[in-house]
Amino acid sequence: MVIPNTIMNIGANAFENCLNLESIVLPENLTILSDHLFDCCKSLKSIEIPNNVTSIGYATFYNCDSLSCVKFSSNLREIGECGFASCGKLKELNFISNVTINEGAFEYCGELEKVCFENNIIGGETQIEAYAFQACGGLKELILPKNLTRIAQRAFEGCVGLEKIIVEEGNSIYESAEDNNSIMCRTIENGIPIVDLVLANKDAIISPKVHRLAPYAFLYGRRSVIIPENVLSIQKYSFYGCRSLDDVYMKSSTPPNMTQPASDHGAFYRSDPRVMTLYVPVGAKEIYSDPTLDWCLFGSIVEWYPSDIEDVCSDEKNIPVEYYNLQGVKVENPDNGVYIKKQGSRSTKVVL
């Protein structure tokens, strides 16, 4: 179908549930794609957004589950809520980096693998709102632009396959960690520079730059985490839903502040510290066990020597495995028992 260029506007719901529509050429003079315009067009395979389009509406392409290719307008500034939600065949998205991606815009796009931005516009801002890419379980690579000014909480919730997270150099607010597994946000509060960890995949090593763990910072699937000495605060919902988390290793003898008590949906809400082991520096068990602190909720608190296990960012596949006892002493030939298994940057508790 080809719509003539004399058409200036197409109303909401115009092609909703056109189940046999496979392709369409839109008129060049369109500036807005209306709400629900192609909602549930289940045969639509590709779409080129005309260059004058600045806004895509609410659920415009919702549930177009054959849509595999979208060419975005270079003037696009906003994608509405649920704009492309449940487009299960989308593989890659390439935006011009001056766009706001609203709530749920690409949620449940299960086969989406890569999201990137072309940074060829001077000025402007890129913003990613809550749930924008929720449950995109196949997403592996995320490349964010230097003009990114906002990543809302839960924007990438459920993106359990995320392997590479990169923020382009020159961003004044966000930066990616050296291992490209996490994103940090720089702010100034009361004249003091603060670095928040805002997004970390299941393999991320927390940078020693980090002062706070932000809400919903950790994606599901990780088994262990090492929290550096510089972390002073762990915010509400930081480890939300991390049910596979077994071991938490603390490098500081002073417990970081949890900004919200467990009784009010604290840092480990919908995780279960009762089945986790908390490793604390030798001599710090008593303070972490204080019944007035939420750290006492861990099922087991064990002392260890943080200096004996270093965080190393490297290709771990070829790094030899090392074993340590629960006191942090290296064991050359481990016998039956419980040990800390270390390979590169990853440390986990194992039973031999």
Side-chain angles (χ1 to χ4, degrees), residues 81-352:
E81 293 182 18
C82 303
F84 292 84
S86 298
C87 291
K89 297 296 183 183
L90 283 177
K91 295 286 189 183
E92 183 172 333
L93 300 173
N94 194 339
F95 303 99
I96 302 299
S97 59
N98 195 9
V99 62
T100 295
I101 302 173
N102 282 303
E103 288 192 18
F106 294 93
E107 65 182 355
Y108 301 109
C109 293
E111 294 187 15
L112 183 62
E113 295 181 357
K114 182 177 181 178
V115 175
C116 59
F117 294 77
E118 294 181 9
N119 211 343
N120 58 2
I121 292 182
I122 298 174
E125 297 180 351
T126 296
Q127 301 186 17
I128 303 174
E129 298 298 338
Y131 308 110
F133 294 92
Q134 179 184 220
C136 293
L139 184 60
K140 296 179 181 178
E141 187 172 359
L142 178 62
I143 303 175
L144 300 170
K146 65 179 66 176
N147 70 352
L148 177 70
T149 59
R150 174 173 166 81
I151 303 175
Q153 294 176 9
R154 310 181 85 165
F156 295 94
E157 183 174 0
C159 296
V160 296
L162 200 54
E163 297 174 357
K164 182 185 292 185
I165 309 170
I166 297 174
V167 179
E168 292 181 345
E169 291 185 8
N171 190 297
S172 62
I173 300 173
Y174 295 97
E175 66 174 306
S176 44
E178 291 181 0
D179 58 5
N180 292 329
N181 282 337
S182 61
I183 297 176
M184 296 171 285
C185 176
R186 298 182 294 272
T187 58
I188 295 179
E189 296 184 4
N190 300 319
I192 300 173
I194 299 292
V195 176
D196 289 334
L197 180 72
V198 296
L199 180 65
N201 70 12
K202 63 184 178 63
D203 297 318
I205 303 300
I206 302 175
S207 168
K209 298 178 182 179
V210 170
H211 303 116
R212 289 190 306 210
L213 307 184
Y216 308 101
F218 293 92
L219 299 174
Y220 313 149
R222 69 183 305 125
R223 303 302 299 269
S224 65
V225 62
I226 300 175
I227 299 179
E229 284 186 279
N230 285 344
V231 173
L232 304 176
S233 174
I234 301 178
Q235 297 185 309
K236 181 178 180 178
Y237 301 140
S238 290
F239 292 93
Y240 178 89
C242 293
R243 293 188 175 274
S244 61
L245 189 61
D246 294 324
D247 301 305
V248 178
Y249 297 88
M250 308 301 300
K251 286 197 167 184
S252 176
S253 296
T254 302
N257 177 42
M258 290 198 191
T259 59
Q260 204 81 6
S263 59
D264 189 20
H265 301 172
F268 290 88
Y269 182 57
R270 292 198 173 173
S271 304
D272 192 356
R274 295 171 300 176
V275 298
M276 301 178 193
T277 299
L278 179 67
Y279 293 89
V280 303
V282 171
K285 182 175 181 179
E286 183 176 354
I287 189 170
Y288 275 93
S289 302
D290 186 332
T292 66
L293 302 178
D294 278 352
W295 298 105
C296 74
L297 299 177
F298 278 78
S300 177
I301 300 179
V302 176
E303 293 189 337
W304 73 309
Y305 291 91
S307 60
D308 287 346
I309 301 182
E310 300 295 331
D311 297 343
V312 180
C313 295
S314 60
D315 181 0
E316 297 179 354
K317 294 180 180 178
N318 299 316
I319 296 178
V321 174
E322 298 175 346
Y323 291 93
Y324 296 78
N325 63 25
L326 297 183
Q327 286 71 47
V329 178
K330 187 175 180 180
V331 178
E332 294 294 341
N333 298 300
D335 202 348
N336 294 339
V338 181
Y339 297 88
I340 298 171
K341 176 185 175 183
K342 178 176 180 291
Q343 186 173 23
S345 62
R346 306 191 66 177
S347 299
T348 55
K349 185 173 64 175
V350 296
V351 179
L352 300 181

